[in-house]
Amino acid sequence: MIDNKKVLFSGMQATGNLTLGNYLGALKNWVTLHDEYECFYSVVDMHSITVRQDPAVLRKRARALLTLYIAAGLDPEKNCIYYQSHVSGHAELAWILNCFTYMGELSRMTQFKDKAAKHADNINAGLFTYPVLMAADILLYQTDVVPVGIDQMQHLEITRDIAQRFNGIYGDVFTIPEAYIGKTGAKIMSLQDPTKKMSKSDENVNASIYLMDDPDAIRRKCKRAVTDSLGEIRYSDEQPGVKNLISIYSACLNKTPEEVEREFAGRGYGEFKEAVGEAVVSVLEPLQKRVHELEKDKSYIDGIIKNNAEKATYYAQKTLRKVQRKIGFPDRIR
Ligand code: TYM
């Protein structure tokens, strides 16, 4: 608890171009939460280097992501928005938690298996212990809730396991976090293969809508989205392509899937896909405009980066000192 509010933490990687999945599954759900929770949102640049990065590109993308957080509506006065690499407590706690995490449980992580297969030439130890750094991110702030898309659930489960294991040995050191999954958009699928999640790293550019895609590209990608031959607009697992488009449309316009089914009953796929394209444009166009405006205000963004890193460091240090004392590291001499 901070000032009688529960604590919320989430983060995104500054790798690749963010997709509509990242926005609808995560960012969009974050902007209304600060009244209820003390919120920390990190640009997790330390996670990004588990895959080789061009330094200049990483720096640029990290800043673009931080700007996007604000453009999407996260008020930096009410939400702590910061770079993970600016708060050294993340790395320090990750090391400690590494010693409380088993090789067996890490090797069961599906994201590790997927990434190891994709980057067979660089299966580094960081890729393997990635979930431990994620656990450190979350536990460092005594987090109660973690808003994420469904793909991150396994990492949240291991975070809870690590925290419970640690608490079992040392007493109630960590708050045990809960996942917070949005009602709509929790899993946006590829437009070209609706059995796979929409992903930044998809090689087929038509599979994902990127947040900075121009309106024509968005409309074109929606038009080309894979559907089926049933000809009915139903939110059903038998029609994964149509179901995904309904998810996108309903998340963009804050409607329920049932409302969308009723709205398009008896209408054709062509017309529906066009409407989906317009719905996405209506959300992303204003977002892109705000990003471009904010990018011009360098000193404003710099101020946020500095102040929020200090705020995050303050809370991170509180937990870290407690953990260090519990495990027997010598006290500091003041
Ligand atoms: P990342 O950067 O892959 O994704 C950021 C957020 O976007 C969600 N997401 C999706 N939601 C719906 N449909 C999709 N197709 C889709 N693709 C991505 C993800 O679930 C996530 O919420 N390891 C994390 C970042 C991280 C983190 C943390 C998150 C590091 N530390 C602590 C929460 C708490 C990741 O790589 O997310």
Side-chain angles (χ1 to χ4, degrees):
M1 294 283 234
I2 296 177
D3 295 339
N4 281 328
K5 275 181 170 173
K6 285 190 170 182
V7 178
L8 179 151
F9 182 96
S10 201
M12 275 195 193
Q13 286 204 61
T15 328
N17 288 319
L18 290 200
T19 71
L20 186 65
N22 295 122
Y23 181 70
L24 297 179
L27 201 45
K28 179 173 184 278
N29 301 320
W30 295 355
V31 298
T32 55
L33 300 170
H34 62 251
D35 286 334
E36 199 176 343
Y37 301 101
E38 186 71 33
C39 297
F40 293 84
Y41 294 109
S42 188
V43 171
V44 294
D45 47 358
M46 287 161 65
H47 278 105
S48 297
I49 62 162
T50 52
V51 173
R52 202 72 73 226
Q53 302 290 331
D54 175 323
V57 174
L58 177 59
R59 214 180 331 271
K60 203 166 139 215
R61 287 208 163 130
R63 185 154 178 126
L65 179 54
L66 190 125
T67 308
L68 185 77
Y69 280 1
I70 303 166
L74 290 177
D75 179 345
E77 299 292 328
K78 297 183 179 148
N79 299 276
C80 187
I81 298 171
Y82 71 99
Y83 294 129
Q84 183 189 32
S85 63
H86 284 192
V87 180
S88 61
H90 289 255
E92 292 178 75
L93 183 60
W95 171 253
I96 295 170
L97 298 180
N98 264 322
C99 303
F100 293 85
T101 310
Y102 298 115
M103 304 282 283
E105 55 191 348
L106 288 175
S107 52
R108 283 194 292 275
M109 295 290 113
T110 47
Q111 189 171 304
F112 169 68
K113 290 190 230 168
D114 290 350
K115 285 202 176 165
K118 231 182 227 166
H119 304 278
D121 55 336
N122 182 20
I123 306 177
N124 59 71
L127 198 61
F128 190 62
T129 59
Y130 178 112
V132 185
L133 179 57
M134 185 159 158
D137 297 342
I138 296 168
L139 301 179
L140 200 51
Y141 298 95
Q142 303 292 354
T143 301
D144 296 280
V145 289
V146 186
V148 279
I150 287 169
D151 63 320
Q152 293 298 318
M153 276 307 280
Q154 202 185 24
H155 288 159
L156 207 76
E157 280 307 316
I158 194 173
T159 299
R160 289 164 56 88
D161 290 344
I162 296 169
Q164 271 156 352
R165 186 173 303 143
F166 196 96
N167 284 358
I169 304 170
Y170 299 104
D172 277 345
V173 178
F174 294 123
T175 303
I176 308 297
E178 304 273 349
Y180 176 108
I181 305 278
K183 283 190 202 72
T184 52
K187 193 160 189 189
I188 301 297
M189 311 306 276
S190 154
L191 296 180
Q192 291 299 313
D193 176 359
T195 60
K196 279 192 339 198
K197 78 163 184 174
M198 184 180 284
S199 156
K200 315 180 230 210
S201 53
D202 204 310
E203 272 153 28
N204 182 347
V205 290
N206 288 321
S208 309
I209 295 175
Y210 300 111
L211 295 188
M212 299 312 276
D213 271 349
D214 63 57
D216 285 345
I218 296 170
R219 292 187 183 106
R220 197 175 53 242
K221 288 179 182 183
C222 288
K223 238 180 239 169
R224 288 194 189 156
V226 167
T227 48
D228 52 56
S229 55
L230 295 175
E232 268 186 274
I233 297 169
R234 280 197 313 131
Y235 191 70
S236 140
D237 289 337
E238 287 153 37
Q239 295 178 259
V242 173
K243 183 179 178 189
N244 188 38
L245 291 174
I246 294 179
S247 296
I248 292 174
Y249 186 80
S250 56
C252 284
L253 301 184
N254 299 316
K255 295 184 175 189
T256 64
E258 295 72 37
E259 283 171 331
V260 181
E261 280 181 338
R262 277 198 295 277
E263 187 179 340
F264 287 94
R267 291 160 76 183
Y269 286 169
E271 203 182 332
F272 177 50
K273 286 183 189 179
E274 237 167 70
V276 175
E278 291 314 319
V280 177
V281 169
S282 77
V283 171
L284 294 192
E285 211 173 22
L287 180 68
Q288 295 170 359
K289 229 187 224 157
R290 283 198 297 279
V291 168
H292 295 315
E293 279 162 17
L294 282 166
E295 275 169 347
K296 289 185 207 139
D297 204 344
K298 182 172 180 309
S299 60
Y300 171 68
I301 301 284
D302 285 349
I304 290 163
I305 292 171
K306 181 170 180 293
N307 294 340
N308 281 335
E310 284 167 8
K311 179 175 172 190
T313 299
Y314 171 79
Y315 290 107
Q317 285 298 320
K318 272 177 117 168
T319 302
L320 194 62
R321 293 285 170 262
K322 186 171 168 190
V323 171
Q324 289 170 334
R325 210 172 310 121
K326 289 280 183 185
I327 54 177
F329 289 173
D331 286 336
R332 275 150 214 265
I333 311 292
R334 293 183 195 281

